Each structure stands twice: as structure tokens, then as C-alpha cells.
Amino acid sequence: MEYLDLYDIDGSLTGESIPRTKNKENVPDDRYIKLVLIYIQNSDNKFLFQLTSQAKEHVIATTGGHVQSGQTSKEAIINEVSEELGLDITNENYVFVKSYITKKAIVDTYYLKKDIDINSLTLQEEEVESVNWYTKEEIYKLIDEEKLRKGNIKGFNYVIEYIEKCA
């Protein structure tokens, strides 16, 4: 069984942990688990998104997941990219963009500019059905059509703000 550390509203570890559950119903009030998301953009300014497996809602989503008990956010994002895509980003120049709070989670958002041959990726079959590159406009269309995982929208907007600020 996987365990998740609990954080307070300021993002500080509380010293408590809970078993991971599907819908986070066991996260106490005033406590949060931590999630990580990464938005990978290539030199054509397209973003790598995945079609999740049937078991994972079968929606379009970015790469990410839970920060396991004892893990840092950076360790978790490296682990999630490796697990879901078969890609090692340990020595890549990924950037922390922003943390934001949802009802039961603190979400740490990362950005990576990298050209990747999607045909060379090793996808985690239990979680990822396929991957594809999408323009910003295509992603906003997916949002309008409610085909993008709702939990990825805010992070995507923060990454777009970050990219525009750095341009």
C-alpha cells in the first residue's frame, strides 16, 4: 500500500501520513496531500499530453501524480515521468513554476522545454494509452470540449503565464 505525507496550508510537512485512496476521502480537514504535474514543451511550441488508460478515466492529461511518503516534489516528478513515459529527466533543466491549492491537495507545477521523439517513449500501459503533441490553441479547445483532465487546467494556465513572462 502506498502512503502519502500530509501538509498544512503553508506546504509544510505535518509529520502525519495516510494510505493513498482513489478519491482522497481520508485527507483530514486542514490537511493536504501533494501532487506534481509537468508540462513538457518542444521547440515547435507544442505540449506533450497523454491519453490516459481506461483505468485512469480515459482523458487527456499531462504527466504527473502523487508525491509518495518520504519523497520530495522533485523526486516525485522525476519518478512519474520515468514511470509513465520511460523518460529520465534527472539531469534535465526542468523548472518549478508554481504551487497551488485544491480542495485536498497542494499541486506543484513544473515545466520542461525538450524535444522528444514520442515514438521512442516506453508508456506505462496501466496508466497511459498514447501520447501526442498539442498546440496551446488545441489544448484550449480540449478544455472547452471538457476533454482535458480538469485538474490539469490551472497548472497549464500557470505554465503559459510563466512562458509568456520569460519570453
Side-chain angles (χ1 to χ4, degrees), residues 37-49 62-63 77-78 80-82 85 87-98 109-116 121 133 155-156 159-160 162-163:
L37 299 174
I38 190 164
Y39 297 84
I40 301 172
Q41 182 185 39
N42 67 14
S43 57
D44 292 329
N45 293 320
K46 293 183 177 182
F47 292 87
L48 184 67
F49 276 77
T62 195
T63 304
I77 202 60
I78 289 168
E80 291 296 333
V81 171
S82 177
L85 304 177
L87 185 65
D88 182 5
I89 64 164
T90 305
N91 297 315
E92 296 292 338
N93 204 12
Y94 59 93
V95 178
F96 172 77
V97 173
K98 185 170 186 134
T109 307
Y110 291 88
Y111 169 73
L112 173 63
K113 183 87 171 191
K114 182 174 179 63
D115 288 320
I116 298 167
L121 296 176
W133 292 106
F156 182 71
V159 166
I160 294 301
Y162 169 81
I163 293 167

Side-chain angles (χ1 to χ4, degrees), residues 146-162:
E146 298 183 359
K147 293 180 180 174
L148 190 82
R149 179 174 280 155
K150 287 182 180 24
N152 289 183
I153 297 169
K154 189 180 269 190
F156 182 71
N157 287 327
Y158 285 134
V159 166
I160 294 301
E161 286 176 20
Y162 169 81

Side-chain angles (χ1 to χ4, degrees), residues 7-9 24 27 31-36 66 99-108:
Y7 299 79
D8 64 20
I9 189 99
K24 305 176 189 78
V27 178
R31 293 288 184 259
Y32 303 87
I33 59 169
K34 193 167 274 200
L35 303 174
V36 290
H66 292 81
S99 288
Y100 61 94
I101 295 177
T102 65
K103 186 177 179 187
K104 297 278 187 174
I106 297 171
V107 184
D108 287 350

Side-chain angles (χ1 to χ4, degrees), residues 65 71 82 84 118 120 122 131 145:
Q71 257 188 339
S82 177
E84 293 179 19
I118 60 175
S120 70
T122 305
V131 294
E145 295 170 352

